[in-house]
Amino acid sequence: KATISFFGHDEGTGSAIQADGKIVVVGGAGADSVLTSDFGIARLTANGQPDAGFGNGGKTTTDFFSALDYANDVVIQADGKIVVAGWINPDISDVERYVDFGLARYDAGGILDPSFGSGGLINTDFGSVDQGHAVAIDANCRIVAAGYTWPLETGDGDFAFAARDILTP
């Protein structure tokens, strides 16, 4: 077993095993903070030690909009790039209403991939409270994120998904 600490209160929610046996774990870094948490991504060697070749001492964080960001799932592309899905808050004025799907893609060293979205990040807004909870790569090499969209006015939530071609910048 292993523990990883980012900012004191952190929560792991997803993991993936790379072809070389390394373990990638994602979640909320600083998840107890009311207005600031980030995507937290850590990579461990096959024996559970922090991988010094990833990020800073085996871990990295990503802040989308200086508000609440929370990673829920991770998938490894065939080329070794790491795709993380979760929810992000683009408007700190209302942390309940303004929540969108967030995707981030990293190279094998834990650096955001500038060829993906805007500087490695994608924000998808369905127009309501939107949370990305799972990510996969389909047979056509598209990244598919799934979660829900929930309009506060009606409280009638729906499944939501978004797809992106891996080769499209």
Side-chain angles (χ1 to χ4, degrees):
K1 63 184 179 177
T3 60
I4 303 159
S5 181
F6 287 91
F7 301 122
H9 182 89
D10 311 305
E11 298 174 5
T13 54
S15 62
I17 309 295
Q18 294 182 176
D20 62 2
K22 292 180 180 176
I23 305 158
V24 179
V25 181
V26 302
D32 68 338
S33 175
V34 174
L35 295 177
T36 57
S37 65
D38 295 331
F39 275 27
I41 304 96
R43 187 167 69 194
L44 305 172
T45 61
N47 66 2
Q49 298 301 308
D51 180 1
F54 184 83
N56 183 10
K59 58 189 178 181
T60 190
T61 60
T62 298
D63 181 22
F64 280 74
F65 297 106
S66 298
L68 294 169
D69 306 315
Y70 198 91
N72 283 314
D73 199 16
V74 59
V75 67
I76 311 298
Q77 291 182 190
D79 63 1
K81 291 184 180 176
I82 299 164
V83 180
V84 179
W87 55 267
I88 59 175
N89 185 287
D91 186 342
I92 199 165
S93 70
D94 189 340
V95 297
E96 291 181 356
R97 178 172 299 274
Y98 302 110
V99 180
D100 297 337
F101 274 38
L103 281 178
R105 185 166 71 181
Y106 305 85
D107 66 18
I111 306 298
L112 283 169
D113 176 3
S115 71
F116 184 74
S118 177
L121 307 174
I122 294 178
N123 174 23
T124 302
D125 183 6
F126 290 90
S128 300
V129 174
D130 312 315
Q131 289 195 6
H133 283 275
V135 64
I137 297 175
D138 73 8
N140 295 317
C141 292
R142 289 180 299 186
I143 298 166
V144 180
Y148 69 84
T149 183
W150 182 50
L152 292 176
E153 298 77 17
T154 66
D156 187 21
D158 293 312
F159 283 18
F161 79 95
R164 173 127 181 144
D165 188 321
I166 288 174
L167 302 176
T168 302

